[in-house]
Amino acid sequence: MSHVPRHLVIMGAAGSGKTTVATTLSEHLGWIAAEAEEFHPTANIERMTAGTPLCDDDRWPWLEAIRSWMTTQALNGRSTVIACSALKRSYRDLLSGAEGRVQFVHLDGAPDVLAERMASRRGHFMPLSLLPSQLADLEPLARDEDGLTVDSLGAPAQISARIMQDLLTDP
């Protein structure tokens, strides 16, 4: 039986805990982790830092770079965990085209909690002013998408345990 590499895309709006949960999963599973922000071109980072929301045309090359990285990892037999907003179904459809099995985990959180988390973090380029545009773009996972939705209020270890129980026990 051959091993099919898997990709867990930890998704949600800013402040939902994507990076923390992805890191926890990566450490537990021994899978390669990536932060989607690292794939943004400089122009995108500058736009967001200035408080300008990205549009789809800004996001497509970024998402294609992530999908390409996922495919490269899968072709080399490696599974991955990616912290990526993946706000829209169309973005997730593009990411799903990577080699291997792509599953999504939507870390869902109340806007006031997300805002509080964003306000307390330091050294991050994403300003709090962009949270409303992210929430406006967010399309929750549909029933036919491979993944699950988890409340982002839980402890990262609890969220990770649920993800491993609910997604990684599937064939």
Side-chain angles (χ1 to χ4, degrees), residues 6-12 16-29 31 80-84 101-108 141 146-171:
R6 294 173 97 144
H7 308 285
L8 293 180
V9 179
I10 311 304
M11 60 164 282
S16 62
K18 296 180 298 290
T19 301
T20 302
V21 171
T23 300
T24 301
L25 282 165
S26 171
E27 290 171 356
H28 186 79
L29 296 168
W31 294 3
T80 67
V81 182
I82 305 101
C84 177
R101 182 174 179 187
V102 181
Q103 296 177 286
F104 298 93
V105 178
H106 176 196
L107 298 181
D108 192 25
L141 286 176
D146 191 357
L148 77 148
T149 299
V150 180
D151 187 335
S152 68
L153 283 181
Q158 292 172 324
I159 293 170
S160 297
R162 167 132 188 246
I163 293 165
M164 290 185 295
Q165 177 184 340
D166 290 358
L167 290 183
L168 301 181
T169 56
D170 288 348

Side-chain angles (χ1 to χ4, degrees), residues 93-136:
D93 287 346
L94 186 144
L95 293 172
S96 292
E99 288 290 325
R101 182 174 179 187
V102 181
Q103 296 177 286
F104 298 93
V105 178
H106 176 196
L107 298 181
D108 192 25
D112 58 327
V113 173
L114 301 177
E116 181 180 314
R117 288 178 176 177
M118 287 181 73
S120 68
R121 63 186 184 184
R122 302 286 175 247
H124 196 281
F125 67 85
M126 177 77 94
L128 181 57
S129 64
L130 290 182
L131 182 59
S133 69
Q134 284 216 327
L135 294 172

